[in-house]
Amino acid sequence: MTRLAVGLCALLLAIPLLAGGVAAGLLGGEAAAGGQPAPSPAAAGEIPVDYQRLYVAAAATCPGLAWTVLAAVGKVETDHGQNPDWTSDAGAVGPMQFLPATFAAYGVDGDADGTSDINNPADAVYSAAHYLCVSGARDGANIPGALYAYNHDTSYVTRVLTQADVYTTPDLTTRSGPSTAALTAVDYATAQLGLPYLWGGDGPDYGEKGFDCSGLSRAAYAAAGIAIPRVAQDQFNAGPHLPPGTPLEIGDLVFYGTSDIDITHVGIYIGSGNMVNAPRRGAPVRTETYVRPSYRGATRPAPASAGLP
């Protein structure tokens, strides 16, 4: 469960936004049985059937906890038990990556076989639901806070909530869902939360300690195998541009400036009205609302052979 360490300042900035934005969107999606969100095509395609059943059943033990949040924890931790390395640097083990001491305190016998086994998928998933519930997820009171209790890292909270948003069925009449490249770019970007702003910075992959706004967006899409220009104006010019009124999708680049030929800032949309960006000197890479008066439009980077839906 080891992730990038972030400061208290980043936590205070990120958690309230997520609590009011992403989490609200997750709990308001299309309802499945018991008022739970219906699975998106991405969820149906990548979550093993037995794990999806476990997530749905376990989430039902905690009113207000969407199964998609629980599934997103499983995705981020071990790719739903498909990651063979189930021991983290911190000593967390099993499909939901519990520290043994935490599991000893909150472990649940999910399959009712008389034992609670940290490596048993049913026990691990039900225990994760129980731990999230007692940590603030009950009745949807503070899901970001519950996730932060699960792993004390704001980048982890953002990644889980973004993944949960992906697992919730979108309105297929207005959006097709984010591409694999877009999800990879967002995963990369959210893993950089807390790093310092550095003018001209391209990040650790380029031997630098931080990012500026366009350095972050370029590095994120480079991680997804898509090359985009270095500076914000050139990234905006490169497109492809979303037609006005097109709903944003996770991974879209959002741009700001005084005009289309004076683009001064770029962020990466992560869903439910929020973006991750390197905002300015003295402020770390962080999440914040993408809505601001200087918004000029969005692009959706894609391989050369792909086009907008």
Side-chain angles (χ1 to χ4, degrees):
M1 293 169 68
T2 301
R3 301 285 193 275
L4 172 70
V6 295
L8 178 59
C9 179
L11 169 63
L12 294 175
L13 288 166
I15 292 295
L17 284 170
L18 291 168
V22 179
L26 295 176
L27 297 177
E30 293 184 42
Q36 286 282 350
S40 69
E46 73 179 40
I47 303 175
V49 173
D50 54 345
Y51 268 84
Q52 185 170 324
R53 290 171 178 163
L54 282 176
Y55 295 138
V56 172
T61 67
C62 180
L65 175 63
W67 76 267
T68 50
V69 173
L70 195 57
V73 172
K75 170 65 175 180
V76 172
E77 294 294 0
T78 64
D79 194 17
H80 313 299
Q82 298 175 96
N83 184 340
D85 181 11
W86 282 7
T87 302
S88 75
D89 294 340
V93 297
M96 300 301 279
Q97 289 290 277
F98 271 101
L99 292 171
T102 304
F103 191 82
Y106 297 98
V108 171
D109 179 12
D111 58 4
D113 67 353
T115 62
S116 296
D117 181 356
I118 198 170
N119 291 305
N120 177 286
D123 294 351
V125 171
Y126 273 81
S127 297
H130 174 59
Y131 186 41
L132 290 170
C133 205
V134 300
S135 299
R138 179 173 291 276
D139 299 323
N142 188 2
I143 288 176
L147 291 169
Y148 188 77
Y150 200 93
N151 184 343
H152 297 324
D153 186 338
T154 47
S155 70
Y156 177 85
V157 175
T158 303
R159 292 172 71 187
V160 169
L161 290 174
T162 299
Q163 185 65 53
D165 199 30
V166 170
Y167 282 164
T168 302
T169 298
D171 179 355
L172 297 179
T173 65
T174 60
R175 58 184 288 194
S176 59
S179 66
T180 298
L183 295 177
T184 300
V186 166
D187 187 66
Y188 178 94
T190 56
Q192 314 310 311
L193 286 169
L195 288 184
Y197 179 93
L198 177 66
W199 187 84
D202 292 306
D205 291 346
Y206 294 86
E208 296 177 324
K209 64 180 181 179
F211 293 93
D212 65 8
C213 64
S214 57
L216 177 62
S217 54
R218 183 182 73 155
Y221 268 96
I226 296 176
I228 62 175
R230 173 59 180 83
V231 300
Q233 181 70 63
D234 291 343
Q235 290 177 4
F236 179 80
N237 293 343
H241 291 268
L242 298 181
T246 302
L248 293 178
E249 288 185 355
I250 291 169
D252 289 347
L253 298 184
V254 287
F255 293 90
Y256 306 87
T258 60
S259 72
D260 287 358
I261 59 173
D262 184 27
I263 298 298
T264 57
H265 188 65
V266 59
I268 305 171
Y269 188 69
I270 61 172
S272 295
N274 293 303
M275 67 176 173
V276 60
N277 71 144
R280 62 182 181 276
R281 287 182 176 88
V285 175
R286 67 191 188 189
T287 61
E288 53 192 355
T289 179
Y290 89 96
V291 178
R292 54 184 67 178
S294 58
Y295 178 68
R296 301 304 306 176
T299 67
R300 187 166 296 164
S305 60
L308 291 175

